[in-house]
Amino acid sequence: QVQLVESGGGLVQTGGSLRLSCAASGIDFGLFGLYNMNWYRQAPGKQRELVAFITSGGTINYADSANGRFTISRDNAKNTVYLQMNSLKPEDTAVYYCNAIRWTTSAAFGYWGQGTQVTVSS
């Protein structure tokens, strides 16, 4: 059973930084690198939105709101993806979710973490 566990959320003041981690377990050895890894967030009353992704091939992209402030990275040896968040703003307050997805020729495999709360005070 694949599990994603996020950590690193918390309360921080405007301008502060947090580093989120998402550790995957239950993935066969060597397969984590085949997953595209995504960070989403969902603020109260809003839809879940994609914040950043890093593909199995290392392609990275960010939402406009995160560009220049957030950095996504992965350590395939540790089955972990990270989201370094700097210059945090109150509008970054949300539950942040990790998502893993990969495709084969016949199936798609997708998993979500339980989320970690990030609160940025003004």
Side-chain angles (χ1 to χ4, degrees):
Q1 182 76 9
V2 175
Q3 285 190 316
L4 303 178
V5 178
E6 300 98 333
S7 61
L11 174 64
V12 64
Q13 291 185 332
T14 296
S17 298
L18 285 173
R19 188 193 195 204
L20 306 184
S21 299
C22 170
S25 62
I27 296 179
D28 290 343
F29 178 78
L31 289 185
F32 179 78
L34 299 181
Y35 283 82
N36 293 345
M37 300 300 298
N38 309 294
W39 282 101
Y40 285 80
R41 68 185 181 188
Q42 188 167 19
K46 295 188 177 181
Q47 289 188 330
R48 191 171 296 191
E49 63 174 353
L50 180 63
V51 176
F53 69 78
I54 181 168
T55 69
S56 59
T59 298
I60 290 173
N61 207 348
Y62 300 96
D64 288 343
S65 59
N67 208 10
R69 299 186 299 125
F70 294 4
T71 303
I72 189 172
S73 61
R74 65 191 299 163
D75 185 338
N76 291 337
K78 295 182 178 180
N79 285 10
T80 301
V81 64
Y82 305 97
L83 186 68
Q84 176 68 43
M85 304 188 296
N86 299 327
S87 303
L88 284 162
K89 306 174 182 179
E91 50 263 45
D92 294 318
T93 295
V95 178
Y96 284 70
Y97 297 92
C98 176
N99 167 252
I101 188 164
R102 74 176 179 100
W103 296 268
T104 67
T105 55
S106 58
F109 301 88
Y111 307 96
W112 289 91
Q114 82 290 347
T116 185
Q117 176 71 48
V118 171
T119 303
V120 184
S121 63
S122 57

